[in-house]
Amino acid sequence: MLDNMIFKQLMKHSFTIPVEVTYPNGKTEKYGNGAPQVKIKVNEKIPVKDLLRNASITLGEAYMDKKIEVSGSLQVLINSAYESANSFLNNNKFKRFLPKQSHSEESSKNDVQSHYDLGNDFYKLWLDKTMTYSCAYFEKPDDTLEKAQMNKVHHILKKLDPKPGSSLLDIGCGWGTLMLTAAKEYNMNVVGITLSEEQYNAVKQRIKDEGLEGQAEVLLEDYRELDHLPFDYITSVGMFEHVGEENLGEYFNTISRYLKSNGVALIHGITRQQGGAYNGWINKYIFPGGYVPGLNENLTHIIESGMQVADIEMLRRHYQRTLEMWTDNFHKVLPEVRKMHDERFIRMWDLYLQACAASFESGNIDVIQYLISKGPSARTLPMTRDYMYKD
């Protein structure tokens, strides 16, 4: 009885939109004014002690197991919870983060492979043709996802102001679109590095198919173990979220070590302006070992590694739109996904995409591009930002 009363109080104060909740006893309550925008059906009692222990894991698993069902947009519902000052998501009594994660080279490899080695065929179903699994860049409102992903690649490379024949290291190269574009269209000599065997095999085949042997190379190894000469430029997209809180300093020190004097790097990743955080459910089911660093943390590590900041750009709204497009794509191919995965996985992945979209929409997390240089800031770059936007 007490659990039911507390759970109802949580629901009553957790949303900024009108919501209808049907409880396990069949009774329905409406919270907020106006017609419900989202309906929640609680099929089984949710123990409050589990919510207190870790609300994100408890509610995430309840949704995966159909203990909770939602009619309407998950993104709208979760965004509403983030925006409510009285929500359990914003109440320190209910926020619970996982303990410090392990990020040895072996655990990092296992963490990456658990996510990215779900299979290229799975990602091909709902990513665009570039196979880019990070925030796109929408220059125009009607940009397709593929166009926006290529916009992002060129936006990153233009920020470097790269010279033909120069060298580029791409840390966490994904399926190779950025590094191979740098080779083909900017005439750079590129090295990509990944811990995902699926990505490594795909990029290696692309290098062969596109006749880029001798100009492009992909390596399957930990970024900390690279045995190459320093590079003129470094890019790293969606990487530092995986290294762990305790290894952020080492990550930026490694970038500094791999950069030539006055070299330039563009680091693109999910960042919290409010400070770093773990998310229990994301850590357990999506990105084991994941940690979203705070803006102040990254800036401190950049400076302490002997580098300086040349430019910072926030792309929060771009990632929200990217995730919304991924969600639409995912829903369209559900018959194909069901041939690969069960319903619990599908509900998990759908929740992941929509919850992340809501988190960006609410400003709970951001994605930021850091343009940094080894030595005085932007010594080798043009004096204004105009060069970043020229064809």
Side-chain angles (χ1 to χ4, degrees):
M1 180 66 72
L2 183 60
D3 272 4
N4 289 336
M5 292 175 59
I6 296 174
F7 189 77
K8 286 184 177 183
Q9 286 299 309
L10 287 177
M11 292 294 102
K12 182 177 181 181
H13 297 290
S14 284
F15 306 105
T16 58
I17 60 171
V19 171
E20 179 183 286
V21 182
T22 301
Y23 292 97
N25 61 7
K27 292 185 177 180
T28 297
E29 300 281 353
K30 292 182 180 179
Y31 305 111
N33 299 320
Q37 292 186 27
V38 178
K39 295 182 180 181
I40 303 170
K41 185 180 179 184
V42 184
N43 294 319
E44 295 184 29
K45 184 179 73 172
I46 309 296
V48 171
K49 63 180 178 61
D50 292 343
L51 283 171
L52 291 172
R53 186 179 302 116
N54 195 305
S56 67
I57 290 178
T58 299
L59 294 176
E61 290 179 339
Y63 180 78
M64 291 163 61
D65 295 330
K66 290 191 175 182
K67 294 178 181 179
I68 294 177
E69 296 184 80
V70 175
S71 298
S73 169
L74 281 170
Q75 179 180 339
V76 168
L77 181 68
I78 296 170
N79 177 58
S80 171
Y82 276 123
E83 290 185 340
S84 172
N86 295 317
S87 167
F88 57 86
L89 293 177
N90 294 313
N91 188 322
N92 286 329
K93 291 181 180 179
F94 298 103
K95 285 182 176 178
R96 293 293 185 270
F97 300 134
L98 290 181
K100 182 176 287 188
Q101 306 295 306
S102 168
H103 284 88
S104 65
E105 292 184 15
E106 182 63 28
S107 65
S108 294
K109 180 179 180 180
N110 292 337
D111 292 344
V112 168
Q113 291 181 349
S114 71
H115 187 83
Y116 294 98
D117 285 353
L118 285 171
N120 292 340
D121 289 343
F122 170 68
Y123 288 102
K124 283 178 183 177
L125 287 175
W126 52 274
L127 294 179
D128 65 285
K129 290 181 181 179
T130 70
M131 288 292 285
T132 306
Y133 187 31
S134 57
C135 175
Y137 183 70
F138 296 87
E139 294 179 347
K140 297 179 181 178
D142 59 350
D143 279 343
T144 64
L145 181 57
E146 182 179 353
K147 177 66 166 62
Q149 290 292 8
M150 290 309 302
N151 291 345
K152 186 267 299 294
V153 168
H154 288 293
H155 192 51
I156 287 173
L157 292 172
K158 285 179 181 178
K159 283 186 175 184
L160 298 175
D161 194 34
K163 305 300 184 287
S166 57
S167 58
L168 169 72
L169 170 65
D170 190 18
I171 300 176
C173 65
W175 284 276
T177 296
L178 189 152
M179 60 176 282
L180 298 184
T181 299
K184 291 184 295 185
E185 300 189 36
Y186 294 79
N187 195 25
M188 303 177 76
N189 298 305
V190 301
V191 175
I193 188 167
T194 179
L195 283 175
S196 165
E197 291 187 6
E198 291 275 343
Q199 291 179 344
Y200 168 77
N201 291 331
V203 177
K204 192 172 181 179
Q205 188 63 48
R206 285 189 65 184
I207 291 172
K208 181 179 179 180
D209 292 344
E210 298 178 31
L212 293 171
E213 297 101 327
Q215 189 179 357
E217 181 182 9
V218 63
L219 303 172
L220 181 65
E221 61 182 82
D222 190 278
Y223 77 98
R224 292 166 283 195
E225 296 299 320
L226 188 62
D227 184 21
H228 276 58
L229 294 173
F231 294 83
D232 297 302
Y233 306 99
I234 292 177
T235 52
S236 187
V237 178
M239 171 67 184
F240 62 60
E241 304 95 310
H242 300 293
V243 305
E245 181 179 9
E246 72 278 18
N247 287 330
L248 277 170
E250 181 182 18
Y251 170 78
F252 285 106
N253 282 331
T254 301
I255 289 172
S256 180
R257 178 161 53 91
Y258 290 161
L259 268 181
K260 292 181 180 179
S261 179
N262 295 315
V264 180
L266 191 289
I267 311 303
H268 168 125
I270 299 171
T271 312
R272 290 189 83 242
Q273 296 201 29
Q274 306 92 326
Y278 296 99
N279 177 278
W281 184 80
I282 292 285
N283 274 80
K284 184 173 181 179
Y285 288 99
I286 307 297
F287 290 112
Y291 172 75
V292 176
L295 175 60
N296 58 329
E297 286 179 88
N298 282 342
L299 293 177
T300 297
H301 289 307
I302 288 168
I303 294 167
E304 289 181 347
S305 68
M307 299 185 290
Q308 293 193 7
V309 178
D311 192 82
I312 294 179
E313 183 176 11
M314 284 64 173
L315 300 177
R316 177 185 61 81
R317 292 161 63 193
H318 294 265
Y319 216 160
Q320 176 191 339
R321 182 175 294 186
T322 303
L323 282 153
E324 289 168 351
M325 287 185 166
W326 286 344
T327 301
D328 288 342
N329 290 348
F330 184 72
H331 288 170
K332 289 174 183 176
V333 298
L334 282 178
E336 295 301 313
V337 177
R338 288 191 172 98
K339 296 176 183 178
M340 302 178 180
H341 298 285
D342 61 19
E343 286 298 320
R344 192 172 191 263
F345 176 93
I346 289 171
R347 290 174 71 85
M348 176 190 77
W349 206 263
D350 194 24
L351 177 59
Y352 153 59
L353 293 174
Q354 294 199 57
C356 287
S359 204
F360 282 108
E361 182 178 8
S362 67
N364 180 55
I365 53 178
D366 207 329
V367 61
I368 297 177
Q369 289 187 349
Y370 305 82
L371 183 63
I372 56 183
S373 58
K374 187 173 181 178
S377 64
R379 172 181 277 171
T380 63
L381 297 177
M383 292 284 283
T384 73
R385 288 175 169 171
D386 292 349
Y387 79 97
M388 298 180 186
Y389 303 100
K390 291 180 180 178
D391 291 334

